Amino acid sequence: MTGISSERGYSFLILMFLALSLIFLLPFTALAEEEEPVEFFEPETVRGKVLTIERDLEKERLYSELIEGYEIEYYNVQIELKSGKNKGETVEAEHVIDRRMVYKLEIDPGDQVLVYLERDQQDNIVNAYISDIYRQNHLMLLLIMFLLALVALGGWKGLKTVVTLVFTGIAIIKFLLPGLLAGYNPIVLTVAICAIVTALTLLIISGAGRKTLAAILGTTGGVLMAGIIAYIFGTATKLTGLGDEQAQMLAFIPQGTSFDYQGLLFAGIILGSLGAVMDVGMSIASAMSEIEAVKPDIKSRDLFKAALNVGRDMMGTMSNTLILAYVGASLPLLLLFLAHQTPLQEFLNWDIIATEFVRALAGSIGLVLTVPLTALVTIVFRPKGTQKSSKNLP
């Protein structure tokens, strides 16, 4: 196939890939919709603005006399409610700061805060507590700056990137998380979501064509390999998937879901490696496309070698990207082990450390394998007539 017919063929293959992924996902969606929402009690959380802060020295003196070494400060805080059914009203909250603790929630007049409200049976507010700083406005401002930078510097492609980010967010929030919460197989569900996100992202950014098809298949293959390797070595090392507190807390959620914690671990590895693997897949496919544009008669063997040469330059930096991301996320934990001079043999064999080890290396191996996979797919779908003019060349 050449010309228009070739482009139509590649478009058809990409759409078939998308359709198969969506069909694969439909049973999970249908089952997720049948789940009844679980109702459970939570204190009402509203936004408020700190008006005044007054230290309660009398209460501090009383407690310091009763308890030796008491270092807790009490404050009476006037807060104007900015949301909820009592919006506009002023409530008084007691705010406590324990100077013995590392984490201390310091507040000042004018700060926006989150407030827990407790009510009696007559729906009157009986207690108010400051739970945290209200950071949403600043986070939204940062998000807007990011999106504007994408559009301003990336132009039309930057705008398409914004669209792909929206699709990715929808896929995670509307499909992946509800499906996992409903207790469905995390690995199968995550692979289907990753395939769809990859296909949509690359299709929107680069359009339909052989380059996009090669990047989609190469990326999907690389992510699958990362998941398979993580599964093999995670099973061999008997990783539990319960190495961190967040995973352990899932056992106490009100839905009562029975999670496959090992599966969640492997699904997280697949999802975490997707971005870097997609970058490598698209870069290799684009490089091969540019080489062919400059030298259409290049032999497939030479084109494959050129792709591997480009890939070798990327492997080191992209693997570093993955590993450094995991190290950065675990930095406090690493410092903790170093401070307590934990023996290396004990350190490496802890579940939480072995988990991060497998996560980083499995993702990096998947990334490395994406290079030959993408190059191979590009060669397989290369039009047959491109090398005719090179047969008589020395």
Side-chain angles (χ1 to χ4, degrees):
M1 293 185 298
T2 57
I4 297 176
S5 61
S6 177
E7 292 300 320
R8 286 178 179 172
Y10 298 136
S11 301
F12 175 76
L13 289 174
I14 293 171
L15 290 175
M16 282 295 295
F17 180 88
L18 262 175
L20 289 173
S21 300
L22 287 170
I23 291 170
F24 191 74
L25 189 63
L26 281 177
F28 294 99
T29 309
L31 288 170
E33 289 174 351
E34 292 175 6
E35 294 289 325
E36 291 292 332
V38 178
E39 293 185 4
F40 55 95
F41 174 77
E42 277 287 332
E44 182 185 1
T45 305
V46 298
R47 178 169 57 92
K49 180 181 179 181
V50 176
L51 300 178
T52 62
I53 304 174
E54 183 180 349
R55 190 167 178 177
D56 193 337
L57 295 175
E58 181 63 25
K59 185 174 285 189
E60 288 180 21
R61 184 188 62 79
L62 177 63
Y63 279 100
S64 63
E65 291 176 354
L66 296 174
I67 305 173
E68 187 177 352
Y70 204 73
E71 298 180 26
I72 294 182
E73 299 175 2
Y74 285 88
Y75 295 90
N76 294 317
V77 185
Q78 296 291 324
I79 302 173
E80 180 185 355
L81 302 181
K82 294 292 187 179
S83 64
K85 51 187 165 184
N86 294 97
K87 180 179 178 181
E89 297 182 14
T90 301
V91 297
E92 184 175 301
E94 185 181 81
H95 184 54
V96 180
I97 297 178
D98 190 342
R99 291 296 173 186
R100 298 167 298 181
M101 303 296 291
V102 176
Y103 178 76
K104 297 178 285 290
L105 186 60
E106 305 276 3
I107 58 172
D108 298 298
D111 283 348
Q112 299 277 335
V113 293
L114 285 177
V115 185
Y116 280 164
L117 300 179
E118 291 184 352
R119 300 177 181 273
D120 58 18
Q121 293 181 349
Q122 287 72 41
D123 204 31
N124 298 315
I125 298 173
V126 292
N127 287 308
Y129 307 96
I130 296 174
S131 65
D132 217 325
I133 300 296
Y134 183 80
R135 303 180 175 93
Q136 185 174 321
N137 290 339
H138 293 93
L139 297 178
M140 289 300 103
L141 178 60
L142 183 61
L143 175 62
I144 291 170
M145 289 174 62
F146 167 65
L147 296 179
L148 288 176
L150 277 177
V151 175
L153 299 177
W156 177 240
K157 284 212 169 184
L159 184 60
K160 290 195 286 187
T161 302
V162 173
V163 174
T164 62
L165 288 174
V166 172
F167 276 130
T168 302
I170 292 173
I172 293 172
I173 295 171
K174 294 294 185 181
F175 294 97
L176 180 62
L177 296 181
L180 294 176
L181 192 58
Y184 304 129
N185 189 300
I187 298 177
V188 175
L189 184 59
T190 304
V191 167
I193 292 291
C194 286
I196 292 170
V197 167
T198 299
L200 283 175
T201 298
L202 298 179
L203 186 60
I204 291 172
I205 291 177
S206 297
R210 181 163 58 99
K211 177 177 72 174
T212 302
L213 178 62
I216 290 171
L217 296 179
T219 298
T220 304
V223 169
L224 275 173
M225 291 305 300
I228 291 170
I229 292 167
Y231 179 80
I232 292 171
F233 283 89
T235 303
T237 54
K238 297 185 178 180
L239 295 179
T240 63
L242 293 165
D244 57 64
E245 294 179 358
Q246 289 82 5
Q248 296 170 22
M249 289 170 64
L250 287 173
F252 304 100
I253 61 174
Q255 286 80 2
T257 304
S258 179
F259 287 104
D260 174 5
Y261 293 99
Q262 246 192 354
L264 283 177
L265 169 63
F266 303 140
I269 292 173
I270 293 170
L271 192 63
S273 63
L274 176 61
V277 172
M278 193 188 305
D279 188 12
V280 170
M282 193 69 241
S283 297
I284 294 298
S286 294
M288 295 180 76
S289 178
E290 291 300 318
I291 292 171
E292 281 189 294
V294 174
K295 192 176 181 182
D297 58 351
I298 186 172
K299 294 180 179 179
S300 294
R301 180 182 57 193
D302 295 333
L303 183 60
F304 187 80
K305 287 181 179 178
L308 291 185
N309 288 333
V310 173
R312 289 189 186 103
D313 291 334
M314 300 178 62
M315 288 175 187
T317 56
M318 294 306 296
S319 294
N320 268 334
T321 299
L322 274 181
I323 291 173
L324 290 176
Y326 292 130
V327 170
S330 305
L331 196 57
L333 180 64
L334 297 175
L335 288 172
L336 190 61
F337 283 125
L338 180 62
H340 288 281
Q341 297 183 348
T342 306
L344 183 62
Q345 179 177 334
E346 181 182 350
F347 173 77
L348 288 177
N349 286 283
W350 280 39
D351 189 294
I352 187 171
I353 296 301
T355 296
E356 294 305 317
F357 206 81
V358 171
R359 190 193 306 273
L361 294 183
S364 296
I365 292 173
L367 185 148
V368 169
L369 292 177
T370 302
V371 174
L373 284 174
T374 305
L376 187 61
V377 172
T378 302
I379 297 299
V380 168
F381 285 99
R382 194 180 185 198
K384 300 298 181 183
T386 54
Q387 299 180 64
K388 287 182 180 179
S389 58
S390 63
K391 287 183 178 178
N392 300 321
L393 294 178

